[in-house]
CSV table of all heavy atoms in Angstrom, one decimal:
chain,number,residue,atom,x,y,z
A,61,PHE,N,303.5,-4.8,-97.2
A,61,PHE,CA,302.2,-5.3,-96.7
A,61,PHE,C,301.8,-6.3,-97.7
A,61,PHE,O,302.4,-6.4,-98.8
A,61,PHE,CB,301.2,-4.3,-96.4
A,61,PHE,CG,300.8,-3.4,-97.6
A,61,PHE,CD1,299.8,-3.8,-98.5
A,61,PHE,CD2,301.5,-2.2,-97.8
A,61,PHE,CE1,299.5,-3.0,-99.6
A,61,PHE,CE2,301.2,-1.4,-98.9
A,61,PHE,CZ,300.2,-1.8,-99.8
A,62,LYS,N,300.7,-7.1,-97.5
A,62,LYS,CA,300.3,-8.1,-98.4
A,62,LYS,C,298.9,-7.9,-99.0
A,62,LYS,O,298.0,-7.5,-98.2
A,62,LYS,CB,300.3,-9.5,-97.6
A,62,LYS,CG,300.0,-10.7,-98.5
A,62,LYS,CD,300.1,-12.0,-97.7
A,62,LYS,CE,299.8,-13.2,-98.5
A,62,LYS,NZ,299.9,-14.5,-97.8
A,63,VAL,N,298.8,-8.1,-100.3
A,63,VAL,CA,297.5,-8.0,-101.0
A,63,VAL,C,297.3,-9.4,-101.6
A,63,VAL,O,298.1,-9.9,-102.3
A,63,VAL,CB,297.6,-6.9,-102.1
A,63,VAL,CG1,296.2,-6.9,-102.8
A,63,VAL,CG2,297.9,-5.6,-101.5
A,64,THR,N,296.1,-9.9,-101.3
A,64,THR,CA,295.7,-11.2,-101.9
A,64,THR,C,294.5,-11.0,-102.8
A,64,THR,O,293.5,-10.4,-102.5
A,64,THR,CB,295.3,-12.2,-100.8
A,64,THR,OG1,296.4,-12.4,-99.9
A,64,THR,CG2,294.8,-13.5,-101.3
A,65,PHE,N,294.6,-11.7,-104.0
A,65,PHE,CA,293.6,-11.7,-105.0
A,65,PHE,C,292.8,-13.0,-104.9
A,65,PHE,O,293.5,-14.1,-105.1
A,65,PHE,CB,294.1,-11.5,-106.4
A,65,PHE,CG,294.6,-10.1,-106.7
A,65,PHE,CD1,295.8,-9.7,-106.2
A,65,PHE,CD2,293.9,-9.3,-107.6
A,65,PHE,CE1,296.3,-8.4,-106.5
A,65,PHE,CE2,294.4,-8.0,-107.9
A,65,PHE,CZ,295.6,-7.6,-107.4
A,66,ILE,N,291.5,-13.0,-104.6
A,66,ILE,CA,290.8,-14.3,-104.6
A,66,ILE,C,290.0,-14.3,-106.0
A,66,ILE,O,289.3,-13.4,-106.4
A,66,ILE,CB,289.7,-14.3,-103.5
A,66,ILE,CG1,290.4,-14.1,-102.1
A,66,ILE,CG2,289.0,-15.6,-103.6
A,66,ILE,CD1,289.4,-14.2,-101.0
A,67,GLY,N,290.2,-15.4,-106.7
A,67,GLY,CA,289.7,-15.5,-108.0
A,67,GLY,C,290.6,-15.0,-109.1
A,67,GLY,O,290.3,-14.4,-110.1
A,68,ALA,N,291.9,-15.1,-108.8
A,68,ALA,CA,293.0,-14.5,-109.5
A,68,ALA,C,293.1,-15.0,-111.0
A,68,ALA,O,293.8,-14.4,-111.8
A,68,ALA,CB,294.3,-14.6,-108.8
A,69,GLY,N,292.4,-16.1,-111.3
A,69,GLY,CA,292.5,-16.6,-112.7
A,69,GLY,C,291.7,-15.8,-113.7
A,69,GLY,O,291.7,-16.1,-114.8
A,70,SER,N,291.2,-14.7,-113.2
A,70,SER,CA,290.5,-13.7,-114.1
A,70,SER,C,291.6,-12.8,-114.8
A,70,SER,O,292.1,-11.9,-114.1
A,70,SER,CB,289.5,-12.9,-113.3
A,70,SER,OG,289.2,-11.7,-114.0
A,71,VAL,N,291.8,-13.0,-116.0
A,71,VAL,CA,292.9,-12.3,-116.7
A,71,VAL,C,292.7,-10.8,-116.7
A,71,VAL,O,293.6,-10.0,-116.5
A,71,VAL,CB,293.2,-12.9,-118.1
A,71,VAL,CG1,292.0,-12.7,-119.0
A,71,VAL,CG2,294.5,-12.2,-118.7
A,72,GLY,N,291.4,-10.4,-117.0
A,72,GLY,CA,291.2,-9.0,-117.2
A,72,GLY,C,291.3,-8.2,-115.9
A,72,GLY,O,292.2,-7.3,-115.8
A,73,PHE,N,290.6,-8.6,-114.9
A,73,PHE,CA,290.6,-7.9,-113.6
A,73,PHE,C,291.9,-8.0,-112.9
A,73,PHE,O,292.5,-7.0,-112.4
A,73,PHE,CB,289.5,-8.4,-112.7
A,73,PHE,CG,288.3,-7.5,-112.7
A,73,PHE,CD1,287.1,-8.0,-113.2
A,73,PHE,CD2,288.3,-6.3,-112.1
A,73,PHE,CE1,286.0,-7.1,-113.3
A,73,PHE,CE2,287.2,-5.4,-112.1
A,73,PHE,CZ,286.0,-5.9,-112.7
A,74,THR,N,292.4,-9.2,-112.8
A,74,THR,CA,293.7,-9.4,-112.0
A,74,THR,C,294.8,-8.7,-112.6
A,74,THR,O,295.5,-7.9,-111.9
A,74,THR,CB,294.0,-10.9,-111.9
A,74,THR,OG1,292.9,-11.6,-111.3
A,74,THR,CG2,295.2,-11.1,-111.1
A,75,ARG,N,295.0,-8.8,-113.9
A,75,ARG,CA,296.2,-8.2,-114.5
A,75,ARG,C,296.1,-6.7,-114.4
A,75,ARG,O,297.1,-6.0,-114.1
A,75,ARG,CB,296.3,-8.6,-115.9
A,75,ARG,CG,297.7,-8.4,-116.6
A,75,ARG,CD,297.7,-8.9,-118.0
A,75,ARG,NE,299.0,-8.7,-118.6
A,75,ARG,CZ,299.2,-8.7,-119.9
A,75,ARG,NH1,298.2,-8.9,-120.7
A,75,ARG,NH2,300.4,-8.5,-120.4
A,76,ASN,N,294.9,-6.1,-114.7
A,76,ASN,CA,294.8,-4.7,-114.7
A,76,ASN,C,294.9,-4.1,-113.3
A,76,ASN,O,295.5,-3.0,-113.1
A,76,ASN,CB,293.4,-4.3,-115.3
A,76,ASN,CG,293.4,-4.6,-116.8
A,76,ASN,OD1,294.4,-4.6,-117.5
A,76,ASN,ND2,292.2,-4.7,-117.4
A,77,LEU,N,294.2,-4.7,-112.3
A,77,LEU,CA,294.3,-4.2,-111.0
A,77,LEU,C,295.7,-4.3,-110.4
A,77,LEU,O,296.1,-3.4,-109.6
A,77,LEU,CB,293.3,-4.9,-110.1
A,77,LEU,CG,291.8,-4.7,-110.4
A,77,LEU,CD1,290.9,-5.6,-109.5
A,77,LEU,CD2,291.4,-3.3,-110.2
A,78,LEU,N,296.4,-5.4,-110.7
A,78,LEU,CA,297.8,-5.5,-110.2
A,78,LEU,C,298.6,-4.4,-110.8
A,78,LEU,O,299.5,-3.8,-110.1
A,78,LEU,CB,298.3,-6.9,-110.6
A,78,LEU,CG,299.8,-7.1,-110.1
A,78,LEU,CD1,299.9,-7.1,-108.6
A,78,LEU,CD2,300.3,-8.4,-110.7
A,79,SER,N,298.5,-4.2,-112.1
A,79,SER,CA,299.2,-3.1,-112.8
A,79,SER,C,298.9,-1.7,-112.1
A,79,SER,O,299.9,-1.0,-111.8
A,79,SER,CB,298.8,-3.1,-114.2
A,79,SER,OG,299.4,-2.0,-114.9
A,80,ASP,N,297.7,-1.4,-111.8
A,80,ASP,CA,297.3,-0.2,-111.2
A,80,ASP,C,298.0,-0.1,-109.8
A,80,ASP,O,298.5,1.0,-109.5
A,80,ASP,CB,295.8,-0.1,-110.9
A,80,ASP,CG,295.0,0.1,-112.2
A,80,ASP,OD1,295.6,0.4,-113.2
A,80,ASP,OD2,293.8,-0.1,-112.1
A,81,LEU,N,298.0,-1.1,-109.1
A,81,LEU,CA,298.6,-1.1,-107.7
A,81,LEU,C,300.1,-0.9,-107.8
A,81,LEU,O,300.7,-0.1,-107.0
A,81,LEU,CB,298.4,-2.5,-107.1
A,81,LEU,CG,298.4,-2.6,-105.6
A,81,LEU,CD1,297.5,-1.6,-104.9
A,81,LEU,CD2,298.1,-4.0,-105.2
A,82,LEU,N,300.8,-1.5,-108.7
A,82,LEU,CA,302.3,-1.4,-108.8
A,82,LEU,C,302.8,-0.1,-109.5
A,82,LEU,O,304.0,0.1,-109.6
A,82,LEU,CB,302.8,-2.7,-109.4
A,82,LEU,CG,302.6,-3.9,-108.6
A,82,LEU,CD1,303.2,-5.2,-109.3
A,82,LEU,CD2,303.1,-3.8,-107.2
A,83,VAL,N,301.8,0.7,-110.0
A,83,VAL,CA,302.2,2.0,-110.4
A,83,VAL,C,302.7,2.9,-109.2
A,83,VAL,O,303.6,3.7,-109.4
A,83,VAL,CB,301.0,2.7,-111.1
A,83,VAL,CG1,301.2,4.2,-111.2
A,83,VAL,CG2,300.7,2.1,-112.5
A,84,VAL,N,302.2,2.6,-108.1
A,84,VAL,CA,302.5,3.4,-106.9
A,84,VAL,C,303.9,3.1,-106.4
A,84,VAL,O,304.3,1.9,-106.1
A,84,VAL,CB,301.5,3.1,-105.7
A,84,VAL,CG1,301.8,4.0,-104.5
A,84,VAL,CG2,300.1,3.3,-106.2
A,85,GLU,N,304.8,4.1,-106.4
A,85,GLU,CA,306.2,3.8,-106.1
A,85,GLU,C,306.4,3.2,-104.8
A,85,GLU,O,307.3,2.3,-104.6
A,85,GLU,CB,306.9,5.2,-106.2
A,85,GLU,CG,308.5,5.0,-106.1
A,85,GLU,CD,309.2,6.4,-106.4
A,85,GLU,OE1,308.5,7.3,-106.8
A,85,GLU,OE2,310.4,6.4,-106.1
A,86,GLU,N,305.7,3.6,-103.8
A,86,GLU,CA,305.8,3.0,-102.4
A,86,GLU,C,305.5,1.6,-102.3
A,86,GLU,O,305.8,0.9,-101.3
A,86,GLU,CB,305.0,3.8,-101.4
A,86,GLU,CG,305.5,5.3,-101.2
A,86,GLU,CD,304.8,6.3,-102.1
A,86,GLU,OE1,304.3,5.8,-103.2
A,86,GLU,OE2,304.8,7.5,-101.8
A,87,PHE,N,304.8,1.0,-103.4
A,87,PHE,CA,304.3,-0.4,-103.3
A,87,PHE,C,305.3,-1.3,-104.0
A,87,PHE,O,304.9,-2.5,-104.3
A,87,PHE,CB,302.9,-0.4,-103.9
A,87,PHE,CG,301.9,0.3,-103.1
A,87,PHE,CD1,300.6,0.4,-103.6
A,87,PHE,CD2,302.2,0.8,-101.9
A,87,PHE,CE1,299.6,1.0,-102.9
A,87,PHE,CE2,301.2,1.5,-101.2
A,87,PHE,CZ,299.9,1.6,-101.7
A,88,HIS,N,306.5,-0.9,-104.3
A,88,HIS,CA,307.4,-1.8,-105.1
A,88,HIS,C,308.0,-2.9,-104.3
A,88,HIS,O,308.8,-3.7,-104.8
A,88,HIS,CB,308.5,-1.0,-105.8
A,88,HIS,CG,307.9,-0.1,-106.9
A,88,HIS,ND1,308.7,0.7,-107.7
A,88,HIS,CD2,306.7,0.0,-107.4
A,88,HIS,CE1,308.0,1.3,-108.6
A,88,HIS,NE2,306.7,0.9,-108.5
A,89,ASP,N,307.6,-3.0,-103.0
A,89,ASP,CA,308.2,-4.0,-102.1
A,89,ASP,C,307.0,-4.8,-101.4
A,89,ASP,O,307.3,-5.5,-100.4
A,89,ASP,CB,309.2,-3.5,-101.1
A,89,ASP,CG,308.6,-2.5,-100.1
A,89,ASP,OD1,307.4,-2.1,-100.4
A,89,ASP,OD2,309.2,-2.1,-99.2
A,90,ILE,N,305.8,-4.7,-101.9
A,90,ILE,CA,304.7,-5.4,-101.3
A,90,ILE,C,304.7,-6.8,-101.6
A,90,ILE,O,305.3,-7.3,-102.6
A,90,ILE,CB,303.3,-4.7,-101.6
A,90,ILE,CG1,303.0,-4.9,-103.1
A,90,ILE,CG2,303.3,-3.2,-101.2
A,90,ILE,CD1,301.6,-4.4,-103.5
A,91,GLU,N,303.9,-7.6,-100.8
A,91,GLU,CA,303.7,-9.0,-101.1
A,91,GLU,C,302.4,-9.2,-101.9
A,91,GLU,O,301.4,-8.5,-101.6
A,91,GLU,CB,303.6,-9.8,-99.9
A,91,GLU,CG,304.9,-9.9,-99.0
A,91,GLU,CD,304.6,-10.7,-97.7
A,91,GLU,OE1,304.2,-11.8,-97.8
A,91,GLU,OE2,304.8,-10.1,-96.6
Side-chain angles (χ1 to χ4, degrees):
F61 58 89
K62 184 176 180 179
V63 180
T64 297
F65 289 75
I66 304 181
S70 161
V71 62
F73 261 111
T74 301
R75 196 178 182 200
N76 291 336
L77 292 174
L78 179 65
S79 173
D80 288 348
L81 200 59
L82 296 181
V83 164
V84 182
E85 186 174 349
E86 290 92 338
F87 294 173
H88 289 179
D89 61 351
I90 65 174
E91 296 178 56

